[in-house]
Amino acid sequence: MSDTATLRKEDFEAVIGLEVHVELQTASKMFCSCSARTFGEEPNTHVCPVCLGMPGTLPVPNWTAVEWALKIALALNCRINRFSQFHRKNYFYPDMPKDYQISQYDYPLGVDGYLEVETTEGEKRFRIHRVHLEEDTGKLIHIGKSGRISEADYSLVDFNRAGIPLVEIVSEADMRSPEDAKAYMQALRTLLLTLDVSDCNLEEGSMRCDANVSVRPRGSTEFGTKTEIKNLNSFRSLERALAYEIKRQIDVILSGGS
Ligand code: ADP
Ligand code: ZN
Ligand code: MG
């Protein structure tokens, strides 16, 4: 690794990997028969003991959701695992009634794929690390001055979204600029719309993105320390957040920080 003290801004490159979540537009939810088409509906009207996480309930997988997730994995040139498994991902959050999310961990549906993307610098191949199936959480509505949690007097929870099938698509850290990330996300959205598995509506949250980003001296093959920007819901915010964060990280390193 070169001595960062002698480097200038232009000597750095960004390393970016995206985690994209997509809600499947199946008729019913992932593990119960409640409707999965709940956006804009009266809160808590599409719920049952299963998606409310009542004790003693039995989740039964939605096979259409499994098929659609496999379709996505195949379209992304993934290898399909012959054995796949759901796990409980335990964490406390008030919009998750069970306090765990049913997700996949060591045996995702698809692994090791790629997506070819037309960029301003020509066609690039971004590798896909994994494609897995999980369930969406409920939605918190913060009541107060601004709708932000920090200024809220109290919060309301709507479980209509809880249990909607959610596919997570994790890329390898193959992108090198905010433009790459945007082009990848746009190509992925077009692919998913073509497969007709989701409406991919970023504003309504049926497609969302977490952006992982680090910087390193150009030519280095090691990864720097990454930060993760969660829940980006437009192409513009993805590009702008990455540009801001790349500059911030370079400034930190150039001023001797880490
Ligand atoms: P986590 O378990 O913290 O979510 P992962 O290793 O699963 O982290 O990676 C999540 C995403 O971050 C992937 O898209 C991956 O390519 C990307 N990523 C991992 N390390 C880095 C890094 N140093 N810089 C940028 N992106 C990274
Ligand atoms: Zn239900
Ligand atoms: Mg992550």
Side-chain angles (χ1 to χ4, degrees):
M1 190 105 169
S2 41
D3 181 4
T4 50
T6 62
L7 290 170
R8 294 162 309 163
K9 271 194 179 73
E10 312 79 72
D11 301 326
F12 286 88
E13 70 173 1
V15 173
I16 298 164
L18 300 188
E19 297 166 80
V20 175
H21 284 99
V22 171
E23 279 182 353
L24 298 181
Q25 273 199 307
T26 48
S28 55
K29 289 188 181 179
M30 187 59 228
F31 296 108
C32 61
S33 56
C34 291
S35 171
R37 316 277 183 90
T38 66
F39 189 86
E41 297 278 302
E42 193 65 22
N44 297 307
T45 51
H46 295 283
V47 293
C48 76
V50 172
C51 58
L52 286 175
M54 298 295 177
T57 53
L58 181 69
V60 178
N62 176 341
W63 286 107
T64 305
V66 176
E67 277 177 23
W68 289 10
L70 286 170
K71 217 158 123 174
I72 295 170
L74 286 170
L76 290 169
N77 307 289
C78 286
R79 185 160 52 75
I80 305 302
N81 272 323
R82 302 296 298 229
F83 177 82
S84 197
Q85 190 174 35
F86 287 108
H87 274 285
R88 293 178 175 192
K89 182 175 177 183
N90 290 278
Y91 59 96
F92 175 76
Y93 203 68
D95 66 8
M96 200 170 51
K98 299 192 291 292
D99 283 340
Y100 61 83
Q101 177 190 34
I102 304 178
S103 183
Q104 298 197 279
Y105 184 58
D106 38 9
Y107 300 102
L109 288 176
V111 294
D112 295 337
Y114 62 87
L115 178 62
E116 269 158 2
V117 178
E118 204 55 61
T119 75
T120 48
E121 297 168 330
E123 188 167 276
K124 293 188 184 177
R125 179 181 284 204
F126 299 123
R127 290 170 301 155
I128 305 293
H129 180 59
R130 59 187 278 147
V131 174
H132 78 237
L133 191 52
E134 57 188 33
E135 54 178 346
D136 211 345
T137 57
K139 198 150 73 178
L140 291 178
I141 298 136
H142 305 295
I143 308 296
K145 273 204 293 272
S146 63
R148 288 173 189 276
I149 191 167
S150 54
E151 292 170 315
D153 300 318
Y154 60 95
S155 299
L156 298 171
V157 61
D158 175 10
F159 289 119
N160 280 351
R161 199 178 69 177
I164 292 181
L166 199 64
V167 169
E168 177 169 347
I169 300 156
V170 183
S171 80
E172 296 292 349
D174 284 350
M175 288 146 244
R176 295 290 174 267
S177 65
E179 298 75 46
D180 274 0
K182 184 180 165 195
Y184 165 84
M185 179 92 173
Q186 282 174 330
L188 186 57
R189 181 167 184 273
T190 302
L191 180 78
L192 294 165
L193 288 173
T194 306
L195 294 176
D196 201 19
V197 293
S198 173
D199 64 3
C200 297
N201 190 324
L202 283 97
E203 261 171 48
E204 294 181 358
S206 57
M207 184 177 191
R208 324 190 276 270
C209 170
D210 300 338
N212 296 266
V213 55
S214 60
V215 298
R216 66 182 177 191
R218 222 174 278 281
S220 161
T221 53
E222 286 165 48
F223 278 174
T225 305
K226 73 171 163 110
T227 58
E228 180 170 358
I229 310 158
K230 308 279 285 188
N231 285 322
L232 294 162
N233 68 349
S234 72
F235 296 117
R236 195 173 127 83
S237 60
L238 171 66
E239 242 187 330
R240 292 183 65 214
L242 282 170
Y244 180 93
E245 184 58 19
I246 290 163
K247 181 180 181 308
R248 190 190 69 83
Q249 290 187 16
I250 293 172
D251 287 345
V252 167
I253 292 170
L254 287 179
S255 60
S258 61

